[in-house]
Each structure stands twice: as structure tokens, then as C-alpha cells.
């Protein structure tokens, strides 16, 4: 039985957030418990299926690409010998759209579920009517078009539900898709490409004996099965060369502190908003719900025949720490490299407006609040003006219960200024759209809204918190 005390313990471990690429990481790691009955390294990784645009061979005559995404229940095998009913896009655990800056994408989305759905492109710079506002739900049995302009920097984004009340469950039951946007700047860099550019979607889950998924919001620490691209703790056969690994954490609540082998160096190259200013060698990589972190791993340092395990150093007590295993099975030529500089972060200007967001849990009501209030769809919390730089302070006051929170902003990426007054770690020096704030700490960031007006959301991306009120609504004005 997991209690709030365990949560506090976990919170204490993850308190190293601000020092992710510094010391203290080794102290936080624990050996794998192996306590889970789930298979470990028994199934191969499934590579995320890259979707093809409608109308043939990759290119639509109209200057944009059209994709069809249908979310529907499917009975699939996740744990060997059992069947699990999941809610999936196109029957896949995380199908991927690969898009290019300057070439819009239109998604024809059908909701074949029995519940509403409001598809949101997380990280997307899109007009309000295509942002998946919680009130803008696609009812069961209906379809609509989403327009994604792709006028933003290359980055790893993802699609998930944002419908009011159903989003946490829809995401938990598997309805996620990847959206990888590239651009000329990124394409010119000699980073690993093609089959050596691998998106991995990490999440936790709890399965009943019969294979069905169990979802109780309050049991978020009792989801001991880790899935990677929909497979439980898989193995992945790799060549002895460099790979670009794009991690997205699609969990409702779980954070990972990922370690490779014995803390072998990974080269952190990108976060939510794309490439970092410079690569950051790190022995551990922290990834919270909805965040994206990308690393280059050079498997050529391991002899062919090696098996290298990726573990979660902050697995809960009694859980297996293993996430997946890389099996180095062959050699391969490797023309790729990681340049010493990647992509400077844009100058967002000097702030002219300051705002504060106090994140807190109210034990009396069980609600999670921003500035003392739960979400109210009828309320506009503030109105940022286009072109004006703002400084946001996010303060987590939940020291009593030790509850971490995050803040995710729709529409724009931001740049972290400091954490408790200290400059961010180099791994946080790029553009972000989701930041985690540990209890008793604060984060400040600069943000500037540009060319879309209308209503957009901001919220904690621990989905149980968001569900229990930790969300607000801003209206961007011209
Ligand atoms: Cu929260």
C-alpha cells in the first residue's frame, strides 16, 4: 500500500532537479528491485510507426500534407499472453507524423471513442481554434480538421487529448501520437538521422491479471509497469554507432531519472523546444510528464555483444528500475557527430510584465489550485499582449505534502531565467514549454506571445492535478 509518506520520499529524491547534470545523481540511484512480475527484456522494442500522408507518396499537391488520425478502442497484446483494451490513434501505441518547417500539416481527426476528445499538439504554435481547447471537444462519432502551420523551430512534439475531465484517462489508455518537426537548420547539422533517429515514448501503467489497464487517479504511485513505445521493458538491437534518441514522457504522473549502464555519459542535445545551445554530457537525464529530452548515445564504446540497460533511478520502492535494454549486435559506419554548438536560444527581450503562479494543493477539498483558485472555464485569468515580453514566476508552496508540480504553457515556448535565483542547469538552457517545480521552490522564465490571439491554456502537466483544478486560461490579445 503506497502512502503519502512514499510520495514525500520520492519528492526528496527528485529534489535534485536543479542539479540534474551535477553531483548527487549517483546518490539517488538504486539498484533494480526486480520485484515486478512483468516481463523484463522479453520483447523487442517496436519502432514508432511513421505515418504517411494521404494521397500517395509523401507529397500532397496542395503545398501541405494531410494525415488521418482516428482514435478508437483496440484490443492489443501488451503483456505476453493477455489482451488489453486501449484507446489508440490508428491502432498504434504512438504513431509519428514527421513534418517540415514551412510545410503545413492538416490532420483529419476522427473520434471513434465513446467519450469526447480534444486533440492538442503539445509544443505547437498553432491558432486557438486548432489548439484543442478543453471546451472545443470532438464528440463521439464525429470528425474535424486540425491545421498545424509548422512555422516554428524544429522540435519533438506530441499529440494528446485535452478534453475537459477525460484527458487523463484518454492519455492513460494510450491515445498519444508523436509529431517530429524538422527544419533546414537542424537538417544541416551532422546529427544521427534516419533509422538512427529514434523516438521513444515512455510511460507507466498498471495492469490487472487479465491484462486490462487499471486507472485510478489516486493510485498514481502504483503503476509499476514501464512501457516504451507500448511495449513492456523491451530490448532494442542497436549498431555500435551513435543514435539520436528522442524521449517523450507520456505518463500521467511519473517522472524518470534515466541512467544508462553504470551512469555512462549521454549527450543531452535537445529539450521541449528543440536543440539546446550546446550539447551537455550527463550521467543522468530527468524527464517529467509531457517533457521531451533528446540525447545522442554512442554505442560504439561498447563491444558488439554488449547489453546496456537504461534504468530509472527514482523508481518507487518495490518497483523494478529497468526501463529498457540496448543490445549492441553489429557494427555500422557512422558519419554522424555532435557539434560543439547546436542552436542558440532566441532573445526573448526584456520583460515589461510580471506574473506569479502559486501552485498548491488544498487538502480540504482535494483540489489543486493556481493562485488559490481551481480552473473555471468561464474565467479568463489574464490577457497577455502580442509582442510583449513577460516574466513569470512559478512557486510551488506544497512543502507540507511534498507534492511536485509543473507548469505547461500552450502556444509559446519560454526560457528559464533561474531556479530559486540560481541560473538554470545547462540542460535547461534551451526553449521549454513544461517546467517542473519541486515543493518549496520557484522557477522564473521569460515568455513572449507572438502571432496568434485567443484563448489558450496553462496548467500543471501532472494530469491528476490538472484534472483536480490546476489549470488556467489566458486570452492572448492584439
Ligand atoms: Cu501539479
Amino acid at each position: 500500500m503506497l502512502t503519502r509518506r512514499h510520495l514525500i520520499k520520492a519528492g526528496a529524491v527528485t529534489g535534485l532537479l536543479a542539479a540534474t547534470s551535477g553531483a548527487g545523481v549517483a546518490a539517488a540511484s538504486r539498484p533494480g528491485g526486480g520485484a515486478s512480475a512483468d516481463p523484463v527484456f522479453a520483447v523487442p522494442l517496436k519502432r514508432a510507426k511513421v505515418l504517411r500522408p494521404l494521397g500517395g507518396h509523401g507529397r500532397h499537391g496542395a503545398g501541405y500534407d494531410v494525415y488521418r488520425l482516428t482514435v478508437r478502442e483496440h484490443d492489443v497484446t501488451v503483456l505476453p499472453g493477455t489482451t488489453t483494451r486501449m484507446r489508440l490513434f490508428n491502432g498504434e501505441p504512438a504513431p509519428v507524423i514527421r513534418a517540415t518547417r514551412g510545410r503545413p500539416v492538416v490532420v483529419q481527426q476522427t473520434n471513434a471513442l465513446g467519450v469526447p476528445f480534444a486533440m492538442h499538439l503539445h509544443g505547437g504554435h498553432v491558432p486557438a481554434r486548432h489548439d484543442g481547447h478543453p471546451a472545443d471537444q470532438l464528440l463521439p462519432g464525429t470528425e474535424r480538421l486540425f491545421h498545424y502551420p509548422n512555422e516554428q523551430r524544429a522540435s519533438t512534439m506530441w499529440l494528446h487529448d485535452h478534453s475537459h475531465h477525460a484527458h487523463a484517462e484518454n492519455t492513460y489508455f494510450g491515445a498519444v501520437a508523436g509529431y517530429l518537426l524538422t527544419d533546414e537548420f537542424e537538417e544541416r547539422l551532422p546529427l544521427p538521422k534516419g533509422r538512427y533517429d529514434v523516438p521513444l515514448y515512455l510511460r507507466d501503467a498498471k495492469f490487472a491479471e487479465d491484462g486490462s489497464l487499471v486507472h485510478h487517479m489516486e493510485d498514481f504511485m502504483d503503476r509499476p509497469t514501464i512501457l516504451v513505445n507500448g511495449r513492456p521493458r523491451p530490448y532494442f538491437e542497436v549498431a555500435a554507432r551513435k543514435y539520436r534518441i528522442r524521449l517523450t514522457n507520456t505518463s500521467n504522473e511519473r517522472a524518470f531519472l534515466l541512467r544508462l549502464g553504470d551512469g555512462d555519459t549521454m549527450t543531452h542535445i535537445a529539450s521541449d523546444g528543440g536543440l539546446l545551445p550546446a550539447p551537455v554530457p550527463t550521467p543522468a537525464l530527468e524527464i517529467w510528464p509531457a517533457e521531451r529530452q533528446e540525447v545522442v548515445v554512442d554505442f560504439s564504446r561498447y563491444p558488439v555483444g554488449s547489453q546496456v540497460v537504461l534504468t530509472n533511478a527514482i523508481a518507487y520502492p518495490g518497483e523494478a528500475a529497468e526501463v529498457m535494454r540496448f543490445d549492441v549486435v553489429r557494427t555500422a559506419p557512422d558519419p554522424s557527430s555532435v557539434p560543439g554548438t547546436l542552436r542558440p536560444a532566441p532573445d526573448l527581450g526584456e520583460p515589461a510584465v510580471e506574473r506569479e503562479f502559486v501552485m498548491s494543493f488544498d487538502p480540504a477539498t482535494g483540489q489543486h489550485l493556481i493562485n488559490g483558485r481551481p480552473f473555471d472555464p468561464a474565467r479568463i485569468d489574464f490577457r497577455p499582449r502580442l509582442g510583449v515580453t513577460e516574466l513569470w514566476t512559478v512557486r510551488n508552496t506544497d512543502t507540507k505534502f511534498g507534492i511536485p508540480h509543473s507548469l505547461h504553457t500552450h502556444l509559446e515556448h519560454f526560457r528559464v531565467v533561474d531556479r530559486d535565483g540560481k541560473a538554470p542547469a545547462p540542460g535547461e538552457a534551451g526553449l521549454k514549454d513544461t517546467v517542473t517545480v519541486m515543493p518549496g521552490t520557484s522557477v522564473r522564465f521569460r515568455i513572449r506571445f507572438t502571432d496568434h490571439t485567443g484563448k489558450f491554456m496553462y496548467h500543471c502537466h501532472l494530469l491528476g492535478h490538472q484534472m483536480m483544478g490546476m489549470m488556467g486560461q489566458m486570452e492572448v490579445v492584439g
Side-chain angles (χ1 to χ4, degrees):
M1 174 75 186
L2 290 154
T3 67
R4 192 159 269 141
R5 270 183 46 233
H6 288 103
L7 173 63
I8 295 166
K9 218 169 144 191
V13 173
T14 55
L16 55 82
L17 183 82
T20 295
S21 33
V25 166
S29 73
R30 302 186 300 103
S36 167
D38 302 330
V40 176
F41 314 142
V43 293
L45 178 84
K46 178 181 160 65
R47 279 183 178 258
K49 181 179 181 180
V50 178
L51 298 176
R52 300 181 66 175
L54 300 185
H57 307 290
R59 286 300 176 218
H60 194 273
Y64 55 87
D65 293 322
V66 181
Y67 292 88
R68 183 175 291 142
L69 277 177
T70 300
V71 62
R72 176 194 307 278
E73 286 191 340
H74 292 266
D75 290 329
V76 295
T77 292
V78 179
L79 302 181
T82 66
T83 299
T84 305
R85 179 155 296 183
M86 299 193 73
R87 303 174 191 173
L88 300 173
F89 280 118
N90 296 11
E92 292 285 325
V96 164
I97 290 173
R98 281 192 176 264
T100 302
R101 186 176 186 168
R103 187 174 177 88
V105 158
V106 174
V107 177
Q108 182 186 337
Q109 204 234 325
T110 302
N111 178 10
L113 296 174
V115 294
F117 204 88
M119 193 167 71
H120 170 58
L121 176 58
H122 185 118
H125 186 65
V126 309
R129 67 185 179 283
H130 298 293
D131 194 51
H133 189 282
D136 206 359
Q137 298 179 340
L138 197 54
L139 296 175
T142 63
E143 64 174 57
R144 62 159 286 186
L145 299 178
F146 285 88
H147 293 249
Y148 299 136
N150 295 333
E151 292 161 351
Q152 62 186 101
R153 284 181 173 218
S155 65
T156 297
M157 296 180 262
W158 63 297
L159 293 151
H160 63 78
D161 178 36
H162 222 293
S163 65
H164 204 27
H165 296 310
H167 67 273
E169 195 171 274
N170 280 333
T171 304
Y172 185 82
F173 280 90
V176 304
Y179 193 98
L180 312 184
L181 179 68
T182 190
D183 62 12
E184 282 178 20
F185 184 100
E186 183 185 63
E187 285 295 310
R188 277 200 301 271
L189 297 179
L191 296 167
K193 292 183 173 65
R195 61 184 285 99
Y196 303 108
D197 173 359
V198 180
L200 298 179
Y201 299 88
L202 309 187
R203 60 162 297 182
D204 62 359
K206 180 180 175 68
F207 291 88
E209 295 251 313
D210 64 358
S212 60
L213 266 175
V214 181
H215 185 242
H216 298 299
M217 243 171 52
E218 63 275 19
D219 291 346
F220 64 91
M221 292 181 67
D222 183 20
R223 294 174 187 160
T225 301
I226 303 301
L227 304 178
V228 183
N229 293 357
R231 292 281 173 90
R233 296 190 168 88
Y235 65 89
F236 180 36
E237 295 189 341
V238 295
R241 54 153 289 160
K242 288 184 281 304
Y243 281 70
R244 175 179 183 169
I245 295 173
R246 304 181 187 237
L247 298 154
T248 301
N249 183 351
T250 68
S251 304
N252 271 213
E253 318 282 344
R254 175 185 296 268
F256 295 89
L257 181 61
L258 298 171
R259 280 165 51 94
L260 185 69
D262 300 318
D264 303 350
T265 300
M266 299 176 275
T267 304
H268 190 191
I269 60 159
S271 63
D272 303 341
L275 293 169
L276 297 172
V280 184
T282 182
L285 191 73
E286 189 161 345
I287 183 165
W288 285 77
E291 282 189 324
R292 286 81 71 213
Q293 305 288 7
E294 300 183 37
V295 290
V296 170
V297 174
D298 189 354
F299 292 104
S300 74
R301 70 190 141 168
Y302 307 107
V304 169
S306 301
Q307 297 179 329
V308 191
V309 177
L310 189 72
T311 51
N312 179 16
I314 50 172
Y316 293 133
E319 285 182 352
E322 292 87 350
V323 173
M324 65 180 290
R325 192 181 69 198
F326 297 95
D327 295 357
V328 184
V329 295
R330 61 178 181 279
T331 58
D334 187 2
S336 73
S337 62
V338 180
T341 59
L342 293 168
R343 188 168 209 170
D347 180 3
L348 298 182
E350 288 303 313
V353 174
E354 294 194 17
R355 303 187 196 278
E356 187 175 61
F357 302 82
V358 176
M359 319 290 279
S360 67
F361 172 65
D362 179 4
T365 60
Q367 286 186 309
H368 289 268
L369 311 173
I370 301 179
N371 292 338
R373 300 196 287 189
F375 175 63
D376 176 355
R379 188 182 73 224
I380 304 287
D381 291 277
F382 58 91
R383 290 184 168 82
R385 195 161 286 282
L386 288 180
V388 177
T389 303
E390 305 200 350
L391 180 70
W392 291 18
T393 302
V394 187
R395 217 177 281 290
N396 178 345
T397 59
D398 274 331
T399 48
K400 187 172 175 195
F401 300 110
I403 304 172
H405 296 295
S406 67
L407 194 76
H408 166 53
T409 57
H410 286 211
L411 186 61
E412 297 291 348
H413 287 89
F414 51 77
R415 285 183 70 181
V416 174
V417 173
D418 54 29
R419 285 186 173 274
D420 287 338
K422 293 191 211 73
E428 271 196 325
L431 288 171
K432 291 283 293 168
D433 58 44
T434 308
V435 279
T436 297
V437 195
M438 298 307 287
T441 73
S442 66
V443 177
R444 297 196 304 166
F445 59 76
R446 284 183 187 182
I447 187 166
R448 184 173 61 196
F449 294 90
T450 53
D451 51 4
H452 298 300
T453 56
K455 293 177 195 166
F456 293 91
M457 316 309 293
Y458 60 94
H459 56 89
C460 181
H461 222 293
L462 282 81
L463 297 185
H465 300 182
Q466 179 192 358
M467 187 102 135
M468 294 304 289
M470 204 166 241
M471 179 158 74
Q473 178 171 223
M474 57 190 167
E475 183 176 15
V476 180
V477 295

